[in-house]
Amino acid sequence: MLSRSAPAPHRAGMVPGGYLVGYAAQGIGVPAPGAVVTAHGLMAGPVTGAVVLGGFFVLVAVVGLVVLTPLHRADREAARPAPAPVREPARTDSA
């Protein structure tokens, strides 16, 4: 998906960039619940992780809808055929 949406000259750099983001997310996301477990007990880690990840995914969904809805609407309007011109009936002036 990353390489398909990237411009042709930048496709080779998009895949390693995607891996970098994924590994960075794992590098931050895995030790954080471990620190919570160490400080607050075994049950606090999974609960805190679920709440944080749930909030993050809700935020991503809302931002995605806010960004993509106008784009989708513009694409639909561009694909809609132009309306046919309205013809006025011919006048017959007989007086």
Side-chain angles (χ1 to χ4, degrees):
M1 185 168 88
L2 288 174
S3 63
R4 182 178 53 179
S5 62
H10 301 288
R11 286 189 184 148
M14 290 297 291
V15 174
Y19 280 120
L20 178 66
V21 169
Y23 285 128
Q26 288 179 357
I28 294 168
V30 173
V36 171
V37 166
T38 302
H40 300 288
L42 187 59
M43 198 57 197
V47 171
T48 303
V51 168
V52 169
L53 286 175
F56 174 73
F57 290 131
V58 167
L59 178 68
V60 168
V62 168
V63 169
L65 287 173
V66 166
V67 169
L68 293 178
T69 299
L71 296 174
H72 179 67
R73 187 173 295 135
D75 285 345
R76 284 181 46 194
E77 289 177 5
R80 185 179 302 160
V86 177
R87 292 176 152 179
E88 292 188 23
R91 288 184 158 187
T92 57
D93 291 333
S94 58

